[in-house]
Structures are given as structure tokens and as C-alpha cells.
Amino acid sequence: MATKDKILLIDDDIELTALISQFLSANGFSVAVEHYGDKAEEKILEYKPDLIVLDLMLPGLDGLTICKDIRQSFLGAIIMLTALDDDIDEVTGLEVGADDYLCKPIKPRVLLAHIRAQLRRQTTLTQNHQQDIRQVNNGELKIDARKRIVTYHQKEILLSSAEFDLLWVLSSSAGTIITRDQLHLEIFRLEFDGYDRSIDLRISRLRKKLGEDPKDPQIIKTIRNKGYLLAG
């Protein structure tokens, strides 16, 4: 019998979490719920979910702070929910490590589709490249897809699932330009609409973790009006 993917809902809306929990359970997931932000990290360590659905506004500790605090240790996908239709919140959520962002009220079927897409993206990239180890940037940057480990100058760099996936896709075209359209299609399986900043934000986070100078990056270069280039 296949192991069920584990979903953790962190949201203080008791009725909503009961509805979503029941719906996800009926669709083959194992689901746990936490209603308090200040207990979220403890619950994550205890439950070890494959994916977290995280509300922005929570009692005790807000979702952005939780996301930022757990991102170094939790490498699975994080989908953030908010009742605020505010682009600034979305950008901030992506900057602190969220993989996806949805506004309330959210239909269970829509959330289910996003959960499946995030889990499928992680599984597909891992399975397709499970035997691969790539070395780029004159061999200084090593990407191990089997263990999902990245080392730079022999030091391990902790990346979120989304950051690793993006770096892996960039490494497949190391030394050549890859457009935002190509990256968006590969990562999200969707055409780039010209407005989504998710790729740019993840590039920014990758550069920061690699210790790049944001004004003059040498590992992941921006090619004006074309896309990005990972040094070979």
C-alpha cells in the first residue's frame, strides 16, 4: 500500500480547516491541523509533513515569521493562504520562502490542485534526475539530485525545495541563457504571463544563499531582456 502524502494545515479558522481536512483526507492525503502560530514549529517537527498550508494571520505568531523561521530546516513545499488581497503580502511571502500563494476564500478543489501540483513538481524532478550529480561554476558548485544537496566551495547550502528545483533547472543549461518563459514553464508547468515575479524572487534568494554580490552576481547572471545564465 502506497504511503500517503502528509499535509499540515496551519490556520486558526476551525470550520475551514475541518472542511479542508475532510476533503483532503477523502482525496488520499494524511492531514494534521494546528490552529496556533506559536505552536506551529513544534507541530512541524512532530508531524514531519510533505507539504504545509500556512495561513498568514495566526494567533501567537504570524505566517510570514513561521515561514522564515522554518525555511532553513523544512525543505518541503509551503503554500501560504491569506484573506488579504495584497500584492505586497504575496511578494513578502515568496521572499521568505513560500512556494505558492493563494487568497481566501479558497475552494477546496482549487487548493487540492495546487497541492498536487507542488507535490508532483518535487517528485518529478527528483525521479527524473535521481542518478545525477552536476558540478558547475568551474566545479565549485555541486548539485546532487539524489540527495537534494547543494555544496558550494565544499560547504553545504541549505535550500528550500523550490530553490533547489530552480537551481537544478538552471544547471541543465549551465553556460547558456535560459529565458524566464522557459524557467516558468519548467518549474510551474504554466506559460509565463509577464507579471509573475516568483522566478525573480527565487533567483534573488539563491544568490543570497550563495553569497553573491546582488549588484554584480557572477554565479547566476541576469542577461538583460533575455533571462538568466548559470556560470558553467
Side-chain angles (χ1 to χ4, degrees):
M1 183 176 179
T3 302
K4 293 182 178 181
D5 287 312
K6 297 165 68 176
I7 310 299
L8 175 59
L9 305 177
I10 305 176
D11 193 309
D12 63 337
D13 188 326
I14 296 175
E15 290 185 8
L16 178 65
T17 52
L19 174 65
I20 292 177
S21 180
Q22 183 179 16
F23 183 79
L24 293 179
S25 296
N27 279 275
F29 294 97
S30 175
V31 185
V33 177
E34 177 54 61
H35 297 301
Y36 296 94
D38 51 1
K39 296 181 180 179
E41 192 166 356
E42 179 182 350
K43 187 71 173 184
I44 292 165
L45 292 172
E46 172 193 331
Y47 187 60
K48 296 180 175 59
D50 297 294
L51 181 146
I52 296 171
V53 178
L54 177 61
D55 190 26
L56 183 65
M57 302 302 293
L58 291 161
L61 200 64
D62 67 90
L64 291 176
T65 302
I66 294 168
C67 186
K68 184 177 181 180
D69 288 348
I70 68 171
R71 231 349 163 182
Q72 291 298 321
S73 58
F74 179 72
L75 302 181
I78 298 175
I79 298 176
M80 293 203 73
L81 301 180
T82 179
L84 304 174
D85 187 10
D86 191 329
D87 290 340
I88 295 176
D89 287 324
E90 180 174 358
V91 170
T92 305
L94 293 169
E95 285 177 338
V96 298
D99 298 283
D100 202 353
Y101 197 94
L102 296 170
C103 290
K104 292 181 177 179
I106 181 73
K107 295 180 179 179
R109 288 188 180 278
V110 172
L111 178 59
L112 174 63
H114 281 255
I115 288 172
R116 284 176 170 167
Q118 288 296 326
L119 293 172
R120 184 168 58 247
R121 176 177 57 80
Q122 294 177 59
T123 301
T124 299
L125 285 168
T126 300
Q127 289 178 344
N128 285 350
H129 309 295
Q130 59 183 352
Q131 300 302 319
D132 289 350
I133 297 177
R134 293 176 183 166
Q135 297 189 66
V136 296
N137 195 231
N138 296 318
E140 297 292 349
L141 182 61
K142 182 178 178 181
I143 310 164
D144 186 337
R146 293 171 300 179
K147 300 178 181 178
R148 294 182 73 82
I149 291 174
V150 173
T151 55
Y152 183 52
H153 290 298
Q154 299 183 338
K155 179 181 178 182
E156 185 174 344
I157 308 296
L158 294 176
L159 302 181
S160 70
S161 178
E163 292 161 356
F164 181 92
D165 292 345
L166 176 56
L167 185 60
W168 181 258
V169 173
L170 286 168
S171 72
S172 68
S173 301
T176 60
I177 299 169
I178 183 167
T179 67
R180 284 182 179 81
D181 290 11
Q182 290 172 301
L183 285 172
H184 206 274
L185 187 60
E186 183 71 22
I187 295 295
F188 300 111
R189 300 292 189 268
L190 295 170
E191 297 287 344
F192 179 53
D193 62 8
Y195 297 99
D196 193 329
R197 292 187 58 200
S198 300
I199 296 297
D200 297 331
L201 290 167
R202 289 174 190 181
I203 291 286
S204 177
R205 292 206 309 269
L206 275 173
R207 285 172 172 162
K208 184 176 181 179
K209 290 187 176 182
L210 292 170
E212 291 238 67
D213 179 353
K215 295 182 180 179
D216 186 28
Q218 296 300 309
I219 304 171
I220 305 174
K221 300 181 180 181
T222 300
I223 310 302
R224 189 174 178 83
N225 297 324
K226 293 184 178 181
Y228 293 103
L229 183 149
L230 179 64

